[in-house]
């Protein structure tokens, strides 16, 4: 089924310019409604489950385990907010602080966090540094 949806999405992206918004649960929970733009959203977010997102699935699992012993989670470069949503859902007792410099992505996450599931998520439209280089982060 996932292959069929991917082909439909590819067809839509090739033939249409209007960016519609679709609602997805990101494969996390049927009660979630995350709005994502069809032309920009990742295929796995629109039609998959976390297991389908092969590049990040084991990182998600490790994050979920490690955050059980943490007092907060920081998502630097949150992109579409997938990790923040995932952690907020599976570990709702800890606050999630996310950073995203891209205005479109930032606004998407802000709009999606307005629902009750994500009341401990706080975002910031800024980078963590204004210079390039190395720094120790603890």
């Amino acid at each position: 089924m996932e292959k069929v949806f991917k082909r439909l999405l590819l067809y839509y992206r090739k033939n249409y310019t209007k960016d519609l918004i679709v609602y997805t649960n990101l494969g996390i929970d049927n009660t979630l409604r995350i709005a994502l733009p069809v032309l920009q959203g990742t295929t796995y977010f629109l039609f998959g489950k976390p297991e389908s997102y092969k590049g990040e699935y084991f990182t998600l699992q490790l994050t979920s385990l490690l955050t059980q012993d943490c007092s907060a989670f920081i998502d630097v470069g949150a992109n579409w907010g997938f990790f923040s949503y995932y952690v907020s859902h599976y570990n709702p007792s800890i606050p999630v602080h996310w950073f995203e410099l891209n205005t479109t992505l930032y606004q998407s996450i802000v709009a999606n966090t307005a629902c009750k599931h994500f009341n401990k998520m706080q975002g910031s439209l800024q980078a963590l540094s204004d210079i390039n280089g190395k720094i120790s982060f603890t």
Side-chain angles (χ1 to χ4, degrees):
M1 221 33 205
E2 191 175 324
K3 286 183 181 182
V4 172
F5 284 128
K6 283 183 184 180
R7 287 183 188 250
L8 286 171
L9 182 61
L10 182 62
Y11 174 80
Y12 181 86
R13 287 180 175 167
K14 283 183 179 180
N15 296 296
Y16 295 92
T17 57
K18 184 177 180 186
D19 201 359
L20 297 175
I21 299 295
V22 295
Y23 292 90
T24 177
N25 62 14
L26 301 173
I28 296 173
D29 186 309
N30 288 337
T31 62
L32 298 181
R33 285 182 46 90
I34 305 298
L36 293 176
V38 174
L39 293 178
Q40 300 173 41
T42 303
T43 306
Y44 296 115
F45 296 167
L46 299 175
F47 304 119
K49 296 180 178 180
E51 301 88 49
S52 303
Y53 195 25
K54 294 182 183 6
E56 300 290 353
Y57 177 66
F58 293 107
T59 308
L60 283 169
Q61 293 300 305
L62 181 60
T63 301
S64 182
L65 289 171
L66 293 175
T67 54
Q68 292 175 6
D69 296 320
C70 295
S71 58
F73 178 74
I74 299 172
D75 189 355
V76 178
N79 201 339
W80 290 105
F82 188 61
F83 274 82
S84 293
Y85 299 135
Y86 192 87
V87 170
S88 290
H89 178 74
Y90 287 106
N91 298 309
S93 63
I94 66 169
V96 172
H97 304 279
W98 55 271
F99 297 85
E100 180 52 57
L101 192 56
N102 181 304
T103 308
T104 302
L105 299 175
Y106 173 83
Q107 290 172 348
S108 173
I109 299 171
V110 168
N112 285 315
T113 57
C115 77
K116 63 179 180 173
H117 294 284
F118 304 115
N119 57 0
K120 289 202 171 195
M121 282 179 63
Q122 294 181 337
S124 183
L125 181 62
Q126 57 184 300
L128 293 181
S129 176
D130 59 350
I131 59 171
N132 290 332
K134 291 184 179 183
I135 188 170
S136 296
F137 186 74
T138 57

